[in-house]
């Protein structure tokens, strides 16, 4: 059975001018919608992820790609934290993904931040290449063997700036514009604060948390209005 729903659209990890960023769709009061509806909505919108908020007061939510449900993902959590704070008029300090540890969230320097457990994030194969030009020249996808990989290069190693692109055909995403979970895995691998310039012009800040095995990611978010869509029904 299908029904109409209002989807809030935001862009996460924009640049300083509010350009670029990764599109996200968020449906509130979505407890009655199943996982198949979540993946279908992501595919219909052509977004890498959508979020179903099952309980707004508790910030209980589920995250879907066009192919699967994820325990934790960066841009959906950052975007949902930003949206709920504005819609409810209060500071949302904790998000509760259905299949992951609770996620702390806060605002800092005009960015929305989250702190998540790295083990809950999808595993990414991180492929370092010689320079950012080689990252820019990659085709989409870079090859059939690269189903869930982030390619990256140092732009300025001393300052912790990297250039990255992420490809996730295994999740139904040819290329992701800005990938918070991959940023968490980069922090795990490099063990230092990072500025990640990804996709066409998105920017992710990432750093180790004080607690071992946790990472913090932050970025700018802008709202792009709402859409009325059909959710559920045949794929």
């Amino acid at each position: 059975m299908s029904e109409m729903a209002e989807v809030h659209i935001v862009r996460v990890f924009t640049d300083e001018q509010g350009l670029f960023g990764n599109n996200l769709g968020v449906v509130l009061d979505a407890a009655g919608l199943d996982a198949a509806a979540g993946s279908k909505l992501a595919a219909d919108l052509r977004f890498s992820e959508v979020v179903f908020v099952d309980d707004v007061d508790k910030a209980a939510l589920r995250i879907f790609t066009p192919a699967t449900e994820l325990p934790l993902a960066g841009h959906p959590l950052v975007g949902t934290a930003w949206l709920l704070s504005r819609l409810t008029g209060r500071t949302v300090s904790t998000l509760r993904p259905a299949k992951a540890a609770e996620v702390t969230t806060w605002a800092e320097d005009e960015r929305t931040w989250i702190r998540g457990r790295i083990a809950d994030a999808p595993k990414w194969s991180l492929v370092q290449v010689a320079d950012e030009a080689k990252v820019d020249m990659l085709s989409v996808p870079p090859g059939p063997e690269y189903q869930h990989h982030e390619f990256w290069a140092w732009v300025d190693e001393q300052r912790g700036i990297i250039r990255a692109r992420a490809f996730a055909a295994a999740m139904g995403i040819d290329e992701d514009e800005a990938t918070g979970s991959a940023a968490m895995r980069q922090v795990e691998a490099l063990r230092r604060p990072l500025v990640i310039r990804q996709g066409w012009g998105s920017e992710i800040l990432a750093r180790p948390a004080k607690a071992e095995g946790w990472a913090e990611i932050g970025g700018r978010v802008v709202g792009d209005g709402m859409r009325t869509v059909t959710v559920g029904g045949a794929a």
Side-chain angles (χ1 to χ4, degrees):
M1 180 180 295
S2 61
E3 59 182 273
M4 304 304 292
E6 297 294 325
V7 183
H8 296 264
I9 309 297
V10 299
R11 278 181 293 115
V12 186
F13 302 131
T14 73
D15 67 7
E16 291 184 1
Q17 288 74 43
L19 303 175
F20 307 105
N22 202 350
N23 288 314
L24 175 70
V26 182
V27 179
L28 306 182
D29 301 317
L33 298 172
D34 62 16
S39 287
K40 183 178 184 298
L41 178 60
D44 290 346
L45 292 172
R46 298 185 179 181
F47 290 175
S48 57
E49 282 117 340
V50 299
V51 170
F52 283 176
V53 180
D54 296 331
D55 188 316
V56 172
D57 290 336
K58 295 180 179 179
L61 57 90
R62 293 171 288 154
I63 304 166
F64 302 97
T65 76
T68 191
E69 181 176 355
L70 297 178
L72 182 146
H75 104 271
L77 291 172
V78 170
T80 302
W82 180 91
L83 179 68
L84 290 180
S85 293
R86 278 149 184 78
L87 291 179
T88 62
R90 59 181 173 82
T91 299
V92 175
S93 60
T94 304
L95 301 176
R96 297 176 174 85
K99 298 184 177 182
E102 290 186 353
V103 173
T104 302
T105 179
W106 67 98
E108 178 185 325
D109 296 331
E110 299 183 346
R111 294 176 175 87
T112 300
W113 285 80
I114 64 164
R115 181 184 303 116
R117 185 169 62 186
I118 297 171
D120 291 331
K123 292 184 178 180
W124 286 87
S125 296
L126 305 175
V127 183
Q128 185 177 4
V129 298
D131 54 47
E132 58 183 311
K134 291 190 179 296
V135 177
D136 292 337
M137 291 171 60
L138 291 168
S139 59
V140 184
E145 69 274 29
Y146 298 113
Q147 295 289 301
H148 204 247
H149 293 68
E150 179 168 271
F151 288 77
W152 70 279
W154 288 112
V155 175
D156 187 330
E157 186 170 359
Q158 183 175 358
R159 296 167 60 199
I161 302 173
I162 70 174
R163 172 76 173 105
R165 292 173 67 190
F167 306 91
M171 292 187 176
I173 305 161
D174 289 337
E175 180 172 2
D176 201 26
E177 172 62 26
T179 313
S181 61
M184 294 173 72
R185 293 296 181 178
Q186 287 282 9
V187 165
E188 180 182 42
L190 298 174
R191 296 183 175 274
R192 59 176 294 181
L194 299 169
V195 178
I196 302 171
R197 298 173 179 170
Q198 187 178 335
W200 289 99
S202 301
E203 182 184 85
I204 306 167
L205 301 190
R207 63 197 182 200
K210 291 182 179 179
E212 183 70 22
W214 293 69
E216 300 175 352
I217 58 172
R220 300 177 182 87
V221 185
V222 298
D224 283 338
M226 299 175 65
R227 299 186 198 175
T228 301
V229 300
T230 301
V231 294

